[in-house]
Amino acid sequence: MKRRSVISLPAVALAAPHLADARAAAGFESPSVIDGNLPVFHESLKRELTFPLAWPNARIRDFRDWKRRARAQFETHLVEPADRTPFRLEVVDDRAGPGYRRRQLIFNVTRHSRVRATMLVPDGPGPFPAALLLHDHGSRFDIGKEKLIEPWYDESRLTSARAWSAKYFSGRFVGDQLAARGCAVLAVDALGWGDRGGLTYEGQQALASNLFNLGSSPAGLMAREDARAAALLATLPEVDPRRIAAVGFSMGGYRAWQVAALSGHIAATVSVCWMTGLKEMMVPGNNTLRGQSAFYMLHPGLYRHLDIPDVASLAAPRPMFVMGGELDPLFTAEGVAAAYARLTRVWSGQRAAHRLRTQTWPGLGHLFTAEMQDEAFTWLDRNL
């Protein structure tokens, strides 16, 4: 008969402290390896991010060559491929507004999705300068495009949209303000918002993982759809294709400089309340590290090559106005300053410093107030 080796419970109890001491002496992690939403070794990971493809890159001296290579690298991390499906545009609603036409359009934003968009077109012969309006996240999914263009077509959304406008935009609708100034505007829902709704805050992680499993990504899909919307604007007879701007707040600010980096149709950019250096953003306790919402602004692996302002710099030397509030809880002051410095270096290096404007509004948080809007609209008048 084989003899069994038996370890008594007291022996285990005595062995455990010695094992813990041995692991600690050997440099093993402590039992708690998560600091908030970050691993305890996050500083080590940050040190490994050197952004080797940032401009100026020692191996790439020609700026146009750098843009080609950097954009190609960026696009590999979108996961979602470019789409050239015919738009098959239909105008399903067209009515008079106060100095402009109010329209609802339906078009193929990708090979997978046919969506409804809203557009305002100034009265007169045109063609007009135009703005692609990019809505925020805000964990508010029942309205998307309605956050920027007043929804004349839906009373329930009108109530929600007006409350949102009062909270973030001084009671204004940015699209209606631009249309009254002679600019055609277009707004489209991102996947999960408005007409494409059904998303919940808790559901974002599941949606993201399922899209990854299906060979796509929420951020990559949104980036491609925004580029498609810019391309649609450029085909419209009411629009001057040489004078199309991207305008957005919060996640929409991220989308604004991102679509400018991807699309040659964007002639000027206004990005409000979304710019930072990556390393300076990744600090314990920062609001943007809570996850969920981040999936719409996450391209896995990209930051092994380019920092956040490096991606925005793919739009250089075209005009760009980046602004935010001094008290914005989403971004550290260090992150904003680092990003502005990197942007300035790129535009200045291309003798286009006059085409870049960066501004931090004292005493303001995560907002796009009437004063900020007026400054942005005046800047657009000069640069479109």
Side-chain angles (χ1 to χ4, degrees):
M1 179 182 294
K2 293 183 179 180
R3 300 179 63 184
R4 293 179 181 178
S5 175
V6 178
I7 300 177
S8 65
L9 288 176
V12 172
L14 289 171
H18 296 291
L19 178 61
D21 291 344
R23 289 171 63 87
F28 285 95
E29 294 165 343
S30 66
S32 175
V33 296
I34 304 297
D35 179 10
N37 293 340
L38 288 167
V40 293
F41 50 85
H42 66 272
E43 289 293 344
S44 176
L45 288 174
K46 279 164 50 171
R47 284 192 293 272
E48 293 179 5
L49 298 177
T50 60
F51 312 119
L53 199 49
W55 178 265
N57 183 291
R59 296 183 180 179
I60 309 175
R61 298 289 186 179
D62 180 77
F63 187 68
R64 285 178 295 181
D65 186 27
W66 171 78
K67 285 180 68 170
R68 280 194 298 272
R69 296 195 201 181
R71 181 176 287 123
Q73 185 68 59
F74 176 35
E75 293 201 42
T76 65
H77 294 277
L78 298 182
V79 184
E80 184 69 30
D83 198 310
R84 295 176 179 82
T85 303
F87 293 118
R88 289 184 49 221
L89 176 70
E90 295 179 67
V91 178
V92 294
D93 183 18
D94 186 346
R95 62 185 70 186
Y100 46 84
R101 304 293 301 178
R102 288 172 162 158
R103 292 180 182 168
Q104 294 188 77
L105 318 174
I106 296 177
F107 73 101
N108 295 330
V109 70
T110 66
R111 62 198 179 282
H112 305 299
S113 300
R114 188 163 177 81
V115 300
R116 184 165 63 113
T118 53
M119 185 173 185
L120 306 179
V121 181
D123 293 340
F128 303 100
L132 175 62
L133 304 179
L134 301 153
H135 68 74
D136 58 71
H137 188 294
S139 300
R140 183 66 184 265
F141 302 104
D142 61 317
I143 51 175
K145 58 189 178 299
E146 293 84 8
K147 295 175 178 179
L148 295 166
I149 296 178
E150 187 170 26
W152 66 90
Y153 44 83
D154 189 314
E155 282 296 325
S156 63
R157 290 187 187 179
L158 179 60
T159 300
S160 294
R162 284 177 173 169
W164 200 257
S165 172
K167 184 175 181 178
Y168 290 107
F169 305 132
S170 298
R172 291 174 162 185
F173 286 90
V174 172
D176 295 73
Q177 292 287 320
L178 282 167
R181 297 172 68 105
C183 185
V185 296
L186 176 73
V188 187
D189 293 318
L191 181 65
W193 280 266
D195 293 331
R196 307 174 75 192
L199 190 61
T200 64
Y201 186 85
E202 294 75 14
Q204 293 174 93
Q205 179 177 340
L207 175 65
S209 61
N210 292 332
L211 282 169
F212 283 128
N213 282 333
L214 292 167
S216 185
S217 83
L221 183 63
M222 186 171 69
R224 293 298 193 188
E225 289 187 352
D226 290 344
R228 287 274 292 173
L232 173 70
L233 262 178
T235 68
L236 302 180
E238 302 90 346
V239 170
D240 182 344
R242 299 164 301 173
R243 296 190 291 160
I244 298 173
V247 179
F249 161 73
S250 193
M251 182 184 77
Y254 172 98
R255 296 168 67 189
W257 54 254
Q258 178 173 255
V259 72
L262 277 175
S263 172
H265 294 298
I266 301 300
T269 305
V270 174
S271 171
V272 185
C273 291
W274 216 110
M275 179 51 67
T276 181
L278 184 280
K279 291 184 179 182
E280 295 82 6
M281 181 179 73
M282 303 296 294
V283 294
N286 192 24
N287 187 287
T288 53
L289 272 60
R290 292 186 300 166
Q292 295 288 11
S293 305
F295 283 108
Y296 278 93
M297 293 154 279
L298 171 64
H299 304 293
L302 174 61
Y303 299 131
R304 285 282 178 187
H305 308 277
L306 295 159
D307 198 355
I308 292 168
D310 301 325
V311 178
S313 295
L314 291 171
R318 285 169 282 159
M320 183 175 288
F321 187 3
V322 185
M323 69 168 84
E326 177 189 28
L327 306 180
D328 192 330
L330 297 185
F331 308 108
T332 65
E334 295 79 10
V336 173
Y340 285 2
R342 294 190 82 137
L343 294 171
T344 299
R345 180 171 63 180
V346 174
W347 264 261
S348 296
Q350 301 310 303
R351 300 191 178 115
H354 60 288
R355 293 181 180 173
L356 174 71
R357 181 173 176 184
T358 60
Q359 185 170 354
T360 299
W361 291 79
L364 293 181
H366 198 67
L367 299 166
F368 191 21
T369 66
E371 184 181 5
M372 296 166 79
Q373 292 169 42
D374 289 342
E375 196 77 15
F377 300 158
T378 299
W379 182 90
L380 278 174
D381 288 342
R382 290 197 303 268
N383 286 278
L384 282 182

